[in-house]
């Protein structure tokens, strides 16, 4: 099985680890230090060796930061983790702060004093972030100290070794485009920025560009590495050679030079010393990258990682792969839902048992590479923790009378999946059905949206929320994230969210996942993946429009739908979607599951 359910947090974290860190800061003559949930690649997926925030505080969420001063500390999380952080972290040592309502910079501005020295690991904070921190320190008369060595590492005595996951070549019949062709496009983008070279820091960008996949982090086939791509010369890939077999080396030899990660900083210094102009993404590149070029005499050009957009716009082969992966996953998911309906009413099924069974059905496809993230299996109050991770100690029986939320995904070589369903166990109250249906209405609004070219995710986000808003309700996460092609299940730059500023383009894949989470009671989230497409022209239309093709094929739980709250158009969409699910998935199922699916997709 790919998912483990062990309790991640070290019981000695909190006060003991904070004391160790403060002792090291005193030795370094520092008055404070920031500990982000990040590694040198600024990615969501962090290997165990870089989980410093969790080691220090106990918080295991995918985003956050801790600030440690001499007499005070805090942990900062966003709205997804406001419940989880209080369950995992000692609030007496690290009081929780909402990083949107009270950013780290505001907290520091109220506490830093003139003459104090605040330390950061220069590789773990982006160029843009360091600018904000510098201003806070300057305004307070304090000094921001950039460190090459992380003081947490000096006191983390049992820190795991860095990963050495094997790298594989991603075949052309799955990638759809040769690396040489991709490199030509990226070189042009670099030249268009009047730069001599670009530094790539995102492992998924590097994996896509060189048509490779890795295994350094859980559930995402990423090779932790850096790359320098010159506008007119051979690139350099900085990766631990122990990850590369001879065949992989041979496959890469005609595309790029290979170097150890320890050679990255000298290479950056050499670019600077040669007076080169280098493109970096200030939202993704660590300040340590920028400083190595700038301090050696180079010129920095700031712009988006040039790989992000072409990677997000899937080619025809990747789109066909996504459809195939979704259909394969739909068969496994239908088997799970049928099994769940049989087993859950007994009251003996728990969160771990459900997650393991779903993974088993996916393993039976024979081609599952991994799950795409730890399955969120939330019964009752745990479902209200929108990014809940079940462990042996938190594991609950799935009770009757409460909705059960399961958010999961799979990694297949031809595509990445992500699906959430909220399931009825026993009798549901009118209030539960109302909440579910309001979320469903938002989901349908996104799925049926038609919008002109140039529309951003922020402009669509309201559609998913409007019925919840009318009821005085909302959810504290984005409506949708981008999804990679056998890469990260969370991919940028596309997203449907209040802050989604990237125009959506045909070929992008995004999730559609509105929700509602009454704290301490239950959670509701409904998620499909959507492919941005050219919308069919309508009579009298003046502008070309875009829309969505729904890729995910699994029924919504009709036992939770209050049909009186649906419009005629929404009922038609639900019936049409369920008819498509039945006709597409049904013939691939065994007789028992097909009969279950026919009932689950009956017209309302």
């Amino acid at each position: 099985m790919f998912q483990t359910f062990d309790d991640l947090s070290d019981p000695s974290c909190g006060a003991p680890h904070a004391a160790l860190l403060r002792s090291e800061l005193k030795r370094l003559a520092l008055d404070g230090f920031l500990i982000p949930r990040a590694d040198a690649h600024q990615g969501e997926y962090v290997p165990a060796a870089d989980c410093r925030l969790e080691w220090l505080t106990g918080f295991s969420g995918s985003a956050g930061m801790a600030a440690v001063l001499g007499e005070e500390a805090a942990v900062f999380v966003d709205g997804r983790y406001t419940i989880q952080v209080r369950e995992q972290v000692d609030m007496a040592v690290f009081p929780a702060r909402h990083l949107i309502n009270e950013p780290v910079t505001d907290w520091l501005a109220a506490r830093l004093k003139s003459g104090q020295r605040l330390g950061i690991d220069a590789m773990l904070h982006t160029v843009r972030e360091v600018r904000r921190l510098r201003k806070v320190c300057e305004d307070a008369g304090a000094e921001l100290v950039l460190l090459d060595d992380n003081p947490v590492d000096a006191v983390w005595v049992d820190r795991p070794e860095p990963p050495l996951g094997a790298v594989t070549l991603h075949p052309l019949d799955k990638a759809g485009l040769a690396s040489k062709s991709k490199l030509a496009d990226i070189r042009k983008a670099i030249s268009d920025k009047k730069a001599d070279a670009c530094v790539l820091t995102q492992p998924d960008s590097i994996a896509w560009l060189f048509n490779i996949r890795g295994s350094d982090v859980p559930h995402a086939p990423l090779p932790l590495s850096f790359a320098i791509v010159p506008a007119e010369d051979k690139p350099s890939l900085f990766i631990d050679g122990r990850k590369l077999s001879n065949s992989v080396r041979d496959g890469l030899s005609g595309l790029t030079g290979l170097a150890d990660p320890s050679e990255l900083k000298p290479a950056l210094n050499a670019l600077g010393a040669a007076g080169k102009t280098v493109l970096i993404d200030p939202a993704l590149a660590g300040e340590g990258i920028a400083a190595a070029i700038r301090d050696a005499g180079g010129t920095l050009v700031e712009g988006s990682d040039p790989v992000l957009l072409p990677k997000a716009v899937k080619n025809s082969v990747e789109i066909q792969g996504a459809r195939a992966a979704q259909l394969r996953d739909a068969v496994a998911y239908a088997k799970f839902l049928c099994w769940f309906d049989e087993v859950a009413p007994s009251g003996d099924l728990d969160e771990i048992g459900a997650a393991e069974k779903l993974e088993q059905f996916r393993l039976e496809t024979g081609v599952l590479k991994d799950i795409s993230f730890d399955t969120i299996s939330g019964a009752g109050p745990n479902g209200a923790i929108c990014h809940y991770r079940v462990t042996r100690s938190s594991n609950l029986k799935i009770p009757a009378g409460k909705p059960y939320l399961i958010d999961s995904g799979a990694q297949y070589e031809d595509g990445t999946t992500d699906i959430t369903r909220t399931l009825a166990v026993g009798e549901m109250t009118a209030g539960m059905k109302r909440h579910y249906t309001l979320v469903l209405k938002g989901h349908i609004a996104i799925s049926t949206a038609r919008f002109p070219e140039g529309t951003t995710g922020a402009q669509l986000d309201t559609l998913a929320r409007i019925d919840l808003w009318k009821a005085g309700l909302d959810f504290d996460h984005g409506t949708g994230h981008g999804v990679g092609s056998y890469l990260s299940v969370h991919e940028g730059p596309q997203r449907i969210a209040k802050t989604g500023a990237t125009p959506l383009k045909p070929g992008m894949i995004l999730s559609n996942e509105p929700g509602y989470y009454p704290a301490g009671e239950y959670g509701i989230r409904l998620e499909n993946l959507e492919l941005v497409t050219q919308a069919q022209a309508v009579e009298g239309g003046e502008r070309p429009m875009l829309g969505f093709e729904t890729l995910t094929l699994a029924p919504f739980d009709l036992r939770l739908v209050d049909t009186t709250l649906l419009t005629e158009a929404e009922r038609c969409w639900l019936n049409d979607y369920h008819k498509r699910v039945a006709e597409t998935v049904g013939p691939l199922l065994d007789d028992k599951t097909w009969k279950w699916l026919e009932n689950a997709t009956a017209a309302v």
Side-chain angles (χ1 to χ4, degrees), residues 216-234:
D216 281 331
V217 296
H219 313 320
L222 303 180
L224 295 182
S225 53
F226 296 91
I228 296 175
V229 182
E232 297 180 353
D233 204 353
K234 196 173 188 179

Side-chain angles (χ1 to χ4, degrees), residues 4 10 32 64 67 163 224 255 276 341 345 383 419 472 511 556 560 573 598:
T4 61
D10 184 340
L224 295 182
L255 298 170
K276 299 295 185 181
D341 267 8
I419 175 175
S511 67
F556 296 98
L560 274 160
W573 181 92
E598 286 179 333

Side-chain angles (χ1 to χ4, degrees), residues 195-216:
D196 299 306
C198 174
V199 181
L200 299 178
T201 62
Q202 296 286 288
D204 60 337
S205 291
I206 293 166
W208 179 88
L209 182 60
F210 293 107
N211 284 342
I212 57 175
R213 297 296 186 265
S215 51
D216 281 331

Side-chain angles (χ1 to χ4, degrees), residues 5 7 80-84 87-88 349-352 375-399 402-407 420 422 516-525:
F5 303 94
D7 293 286
R80 297 171 295 172
Y81 297 113
T82 52
I83 298 173
Q84 178 178 333
E87 295 185 347
Q88 293 185 318
L349 181 63
D350 58 24
E351 295 168 332
I352 290 178
T375 296
I376 298 169
S377 177
N382 286 342
I385 306 171
C386 64
H387 276 209
Y388 167 69
R389 181 191 181 277
V390 57
T391 65
R392 303 287 176 193
S393 61
S394 71
N395 185 31
L396 292 180
K397 296 283 188 182
I398 298 174
K402 289 285 181 75
Y404 163 71
L405 185 155
I406 183 161
D407 184 349
T420 309
T422 302
Y516 176 62
Y517 313 89
E521 297 184 42
Y522 54 83
I524 294 168
R525 184 162 64 250

Side-chain angles (χ1 to χ4, degrees), residues 341 437 451 502 530 597:
D341 267 8
T437 308
F451 46 94
T502 298
E530 312 279 359
L597 184 64

Side-chain angles (χ1 to χ4, degrees), residues 16 18 33 58 102 115 216 241 309 327 372 381-382 385 393 414 431 443 478 485 492 508 521-522 570 588:
F33 187 69
E102 185 185 5
D216 281 331
L309 196 55
L327 180 57
S372 55
N382 286 342
I385 306 171
S393 61
D414 52 1
H443 179 96
S485 181
M508 289 180 169
E521 297 184 42
Y522 54 83
E570 289 166 342
L588 303 175

